[in-house]
Amino acid sequence: MNIITDLKEFFDKQVFLKMVISNPRSKATMIKKIEIKPVMIKHEYLIQFETIENNSASHENLDTESALQKIEHLILNEYRSFFLRTSFMEYDGLVSKKGRITVSSKSIEQETIEWAHDRKKEYIFPEKKPIDFLIKLGIMNEEGIVYKKKYNKFRQINKFLEIIQDTMQDISEDRIFRIVDFGCGKAYLTFAVYHYFVAILHKEVEIIGLDLKEDVIDFCNQIASELQYSKLKFMKGSIESFDDWHEVDMMITLHACDMATDAALVKAVNWGTKYILSVPCCQHEFFSKIHNVALTPMLNHGLIKERLSSLVTDTVRTLYLNKEGYDVKVIEFVSLEHTPKNIMITARKTGRKSDKDFEAYESFKSFWNLEDLYIDRF
């Protein structure tokens, strides 16, 4: 077969399902495989190329002509093998050093194409399925229909649960799983996490939501009581003064202002908490402390300095968690609140501490001339 000619026909008839190009010719090639599939975007048939490098996926959508040119270049110049699937056939191809292509094929059972960009998003909390706390909090009606004005909240709640799902590993222990939500506010996420653990994971859980506003705490406790969420309670108090538990499996903090985020991280580390999810808010401590002669031009303007101090603060937090034996990721998360602060720090305790991580932490602080930090006092 002439792979490019046949591919053009598969594209034209829209029977192309998938192609994987792999086995790079050069050992220096960082991208070990390329996955290719059809997508329908705004009713236009396109070919999507997905590559993964340094655990980061990137996508490129091309028209069929450009896609054919790219595929031809890849298999003739950069890679040694490919796999191709249409709605009725599978092909395995090997490419020699001289560019000779050997293909084996077999028939498969007729397969239906599902367009990647036309699929309905499958949420952890699905639409049109009544969920008690979402009804109680005014996000959906009794039939499970999400109110139009509340759809962003509904989507963001599901996104948060997806992050928890991705962060957690084994939680098969028989003991009760304990979670603290510091600065829970109106507690949309606190209720969501409780429902997720109990109704979906079927995991016995105890959750405490902590906040400084008494009226918010009273409201949340009333809702929890009406829903018979017996292992969910809300308390008024500060993070520093919280002393009800000394063993916590997951700590959540969203927009705990300024050093309250650091107080929460310190608490979690001292507890040996396995999972941490933190969305920092305003960071004032470093604004007056960061200093580096070489970067003075960035520190002479208040707005730039504020943004820089925010990034420096969150970097210190990630390095702090690293040195305390946590595997840390920084991801984008748009919260339920209207705020430009959209960085989330997720951390999973591994218990592996190294001199290298400690030195990286101290070196970064030294670079910015940072001393007497709140996070180092405990």
Side-chain angles (χ1 to χ4, degrees):
M1 67 181 288
N2 184 317
I3 184 64
I4 302 303
T5 301
D6 288 347
L7 260 179
K8 183 179 186 310
E9 182 180 351
F10 298 152
F11 290 168
D12 289 343
K13 293 181 177 179
Q14 296 189 6
V15 296
F16 170 68
L17 288 177
K18 179 182 181 180
M19 187 173 190
V20 179
I21 299 175
S22 58
N23 196 7
R25 295 179 181 276
S26 170
K27 292 182 179 180
T29 302
M30 297 298 293
I31 298 170
K32 303 306 178 185
K33 70 175 182 178
I34 301 168
E35 294 196 7
I36 306 166
K37 62 184 178 182
V39 294
M40 192 72 74
I41 301 176
K42 295 181 179 178
H43 305 292
E44 183 180 4
Y45 182 86
L46 299 174
I47 307 300
Q48 183 179 92
F49 292 72
E50 180 183 84
T51 58
I52 297 177
E53 186 173 3
N54 297 325
N55 294 322
S56 178
S58 61
H59 298 88
E60 181 182 22
N61 299 320
L62 299 178
D63 59 58
T64 55
E65 184 178 347
S66 300
L68 286 169
Q69 292 174 359
K70 181 166 183 171
I71 290 170
E72 183 174 24
H73 172 79
L74 290 171
I75 61 178
L76 292 181
N77 298 282
E78 297 186 27
Y79 292 84
R80 295 191 180 97
S81 59
F82 63 84
F83 168 78
L84 169 64
R85 178 183 294 156
T86 71
S87 61
F88 52 87
M89 293 287 290
E90 284 185 350
Y91 304 87
D92 283 294
L94 294 175
V95 187
S96 69
K97 290 181 180 180
K98 295 183 179 180
R100 184 171 176 233
I101 301 174
T102 304
V103 179
S104 61
S105 62
K106 67 177 181 179
S107 300
I108 61 173
E109 186 175 344
Q110 189 81 11
E111 189 170 344
T112 303
I113 298 176
E114 293 183 27
W115 301 112
H117 283 247
D118 281 353
R119 292 175 186 161
K120 188 81 170 175
K121 172 69 176 178
E122 294 184 6
Y123 291 114
I124 292 176
F125 292 164
E127 297 182 64
K128 298 182 180 179
K129 179 181 178 181
I131 297 176
D132 55 5
F133 84 92
L134 291 176
I135 296 170
K136 207 74 171 173
L137 294 176
I139 294 175
M140 64 169 50
N141 64 21
E142 297 285 346
E143 285 72 45
I145 306 299
V146 178
Y147 295 115
K148 188 174 181 180
K149 291 183 179 180
K150 299 292 184 178
Y151 200 85
N152 282 342
K153 276 190 173 65
F154 175 76
R155 186 173 63 246
Q156 290 156 347
I157 287 170
N158 275 285
K159 176 62 177 176
F160 185 74
L161 296 179
E162 288 172 7
I163 293 170
I164 288 181
Q165 191 177 61
D166 291 342
T167 302
M168 289 190 311
Q169 292 188 348
D170 182 23
I171 59 164
S172 60
E173 301 95 335
D174 291 333
R175 64 183 181 81
I176 295 173
F177 197 86
R178 282 183 164 178
I179 302 172
V180 171
D181 185 352
F182 284 135
C184 62
K186 295 177 181 178
Y188 291 104
L189 296 181
T190 325
F191 281 105
V193 171
Y194 184 90
H195 186 90
Y196 174 63
F197 271 81
V198 173
I200 296 178
L201 297 184
H202 305 293
K203 175 69 179 174
E204 193 172 358
V205 67
E206 290 181 347
I207 301 181
I208 289 179
L210 192 76
D211 203 272
L212 292 171
K213 298 176 182 177
E214 189 168 357
D215 58 337
V216 169
I217 294 301
D218 290 343
F219 170 78
C220 291
N221 275 323
Q222 180 183 342
I223 296 296
S225 176
E226 291 173 0
L227 293 170
Q228 297 182 352
Y229 284 10
S230 59
K231 299 294 185 179
L232 172 61
K233 67 177 181 178
F234 297 88
M235 301 170 55
K236 179 185 176 183
S238 66
I239 296 170
E240 294 90 341
S241 64
F242 180 81
D243 199 33
D244 286 54
W245 287 345
H246 298 282
E247 291 185 12
V248 173
D249 297 285
M250 177 179 288
M251 187 279 289
I252 299 168
T253 173
L254 274 74
H255 299 118
C257 190
D258 198 17
M259 288 182 287
T261 294
D262 298 310
L265 294 179
V266 168
K267 280 272 188 185
V269 167
N270 289 340
W271 284 332
T273 300
K274 185 154 189 181
Y275 303 107
I276 295 172
L277 294 92
S278 175
V279 178
C281 187
C282 49
Q283 298 98 340
H284 298 308
E285 183 188 14
F286 286 20
F287 186 82
S288 60
K289 290 185 176 182
I290 59 173
H291 175 66
N292 185 297
V293 174
L295 297 174
T296 297
M298 298 185 73
L299 304 175
N300 284 339
H301 303 278
L303 181 59
I304 294 174
K305 185 179 180 182
E306 180 184 358
R307 293 181 180 178
L308 183 61
S309 64
S310 174
L311 293 172
V312 171
T313 303
D314 289 335
T315 303
V316 166
R317 287 165 175 160
T318 64
L319 293 172
Y320 166 77
L321 290 170
N322 280 147
K323 81 175 182 69
E324 294 296 332
Y326 284 82
D327 179 35
V328 181
K329 293 181 181 178
V330 177
I331 61 177
E332 186 177 46
F333 175 72
V334 179
S335 79
L336 303 180
E337 307 299 329
H338 180 67
T339 171
K341 305 292 185 180
N342 62 349
I343 284 179
M344 174 181 277
I345 299 170
T346 68
R348 181 179 58 85
K349 186 174 179 63
T350 65
R352 295 189 297 270
K353 297 185 181 182
S354 69
D355 292 339
K356 182 180 178 182
D357 289 333
F358 178 81
E359 289 166 4
Y361 177 67
E362 295 297 327
S363 175
F364 188 79
K365 289 194 301 178
S366 177
F367 179 86
W368 289 104
N369 291 287
L370 294 170
E371 298 177 351
D372 188 31
L373 301 183
Y374 176 92
I375 208 167
D376 289 330
R377 297 176 196 168
F378 304 91

